[in-house]
Amino acid sequence: MIRRLIFLWTLLLSIAVSNALHFYLDANEKRCFIEELPTDTVVEGHYRALEWSEQTQTYAEDPNLGIWVEVDEVESGHNVVKTKGPSDGRFTFTSHDSGDHSICLSTNYSSWFSSTHIRLYLDIVVGTTKADADQDRSHVSELAAKVRDLNQKLEDINREQQYQRQREADFRNLSEATNGRAVWYSVAQIIVLLATCTWQLRHLKRFFEDRKMR
């Protein structure tokens, strides 16, 4: 039984979305990423910034370097996170609405006074709930904590499936509405053509009648 639980725990951990990358920034430059999230999804991010050193010709940590983190909901424009942290830090937020979220990072340096280059490492984990589990580690056994984490992972998967079903239903309704408009447009074209043909026939009939009377 314990082996099955451990296997299921490992499998579900592999399902959680994790994005790890690194990129380069100049002073006063902002880099944004779009993450599509369901409602009430916990997102954890870890970043580490290294500054280029002309003396050593390598990227190294600088205690004066700070990182601005801003998270906005793309559709509504609502700001979820806006915080400044050290060169090596973390951020956590929960999505209130489903849809695209913009995650932007920038330095506290200004291009007027610095031309330094930054290498920034970013690791984003979507759907994690370790923060809640850590609060109760001292009150439950290790096995009970893992079982609860498994249940939470299953809830995350179920929420993701519900979100995808909602998007599918919205797309289906949009397709049906578009098809209905296309049908009515075709019917309107047929009516206009029939009215035009009828008017032309009457006009020709009157024209020939007038010619005969003359």
Side-chain angles (χ1 to χ4, degrees), residues 115-169:
S115 59
T116 186
H117 300 283
I118 306 298
R119 177 189 288 174
L120 189 60
Y121 295 87
L122 178 62
D123 185 14
I124 298 177
V125 180
V126 178
T128 181
T129 54
K130 290 184 178 179
D132 294 335
D134 289 340
Q135 297 178 0
D136 299 329
R137 291 292 185 183
S138 60
H139 303 290
V140 295
S141 64
E142 182 180 357
L143 181 60
K146 290 183 177 180
V147 171
R148 188 180 61 182
D149 289 340
L150 288 176
N151 292 332
Q152 188 61 50
K153 291 294 181 183
L154 291 174
E155 292 180 1
D156 292 339
I157 295 173
N158 185 38
R159 184 166 56 248
E160 176 69 23
Q161 291 176 344
Q162 291 179 353
Y163 173 64
Q164 295 299 333
R165 284 196 294 266
Q166 178 183 353
R167 290 195 59 189
E168 182 181 356

Side-chain angles (χ1 to χ4, degrees), residues 1 8 60-61 73 78 105 138 153 155 158 162 182:
M1 180 64 181
L8 184 58
E61 294 185 357
E73 295 175 354
H78 174 69
L105 295 98
S138 60
K153 291 294 181 183
E155 292 180 1
N158 185 38
Q162 291 179 353

Side-chain angles (χ1 to χ4, degrees), residues 15-209:
I15 296 177
V17 180
S18 178
N19 299 321
L21 53 90
H22 79 273
F23 52 92
Y24 297 91
L25 283 176
D26 291 332
N28 205 27
E29 182 182 0
K30 179 184 292 187
R31 186 68 59 87
C32 297
F33 304 90
I34 300 298
E35 191 74 35
E36 185 178 4
L37 302 173
T39 307
D40 297 329
T41 299
V42 180
V43 179
E44 289 186 357
H46 174 223
Y47 62 86
R48 180 169 177 260
L50 302 177
E51 183 178 350
W52 175 256
S53 175
E54 294 291 344
Q55 296 179 353
T56 61
Q57 294 295 305
T58 57
Y59 286 95
E61 294 185 357
D62 185 355
N64 296 322
L65 177 62
I67 300 298
W68 281 100
V69 179
E70 298 183 38
V71 180
D72 297 315
E73 295 175 354
V74 175
E75 184 175 355
S76 64
H78 174 69
N79 182 258
V80 181
V81 175
K82 186 174 183 180
T83 181
K84 176 186 174 184
S87 60
D88 189 348
R90 298 178 179 271
F91 61 91
T92 304
F93 68 93
T94 302
S95 59
H96 300 290
D97 296 324
S98 60
D100 292 336
H101 287 66
S102 173
I103 303 174
C104 299
L105 295 98
S106 59
T107 69
N108 61 335
Y109 289 162
S110 173
S111 59
W112 294 100
F113 303 101
S114 174
S115 59
T116 186
H117 300 283
I118 306 298
R119 177 189 288 174
L120 189 60
Y121 295 87
L122 178 62
D123 185 14
I124 298 177
V125 180
V126 178
T128 181
T129 54
K130 290 184 178 179
D132 294 335
D134 289 340
Q135 297 178 0
D136 299 329
R137 291 292 185 183
S138 60
H139 303 290
V140 295
S141 64
E142 182 180 357
L143 181 60
K146 290 183 177 180
V147 171
R148 188 180 61 182
D149 289 340
L150 288 176
N151 292 332
Q152 188 61 50
K153 291 294 181 183
L154 291 174
E155 292 180 1
D156 292 339
I157 295 173
N158 185 38
R159 184 166 56 248
E160 176 69 23
Q161 291 176 344
Q162 291 179 353
Y163 173 64
Q164 295 299 333
R165 284 196 294 266
Q166 178 183 353
R167 290 195 59 189
E168 182 181 356
D170 295 339
F171 180 75
R172 184 176 60 253
N173 294 335
L174 179 61
S175 299
E176 291 177 354
T178 303
N179 293 335
R181 293 190 186 98
V183 171
W184 282 110
Y185 180 73
S186 300
V187 171
Q189 282 186 322
I190 293 174
I191 293 174
V192 171
L193 289 174
L194 291 176
T196 303
C197 291
T198 303
W199 180 82
Q200 288 180 342
L201 291 174
R202 289 183 177 180
H203 179 73
L204 290 173
K205 183 179 179 181
R206 292 177 181 176
F207 174 76
F208 288 118
E209 287 178 352

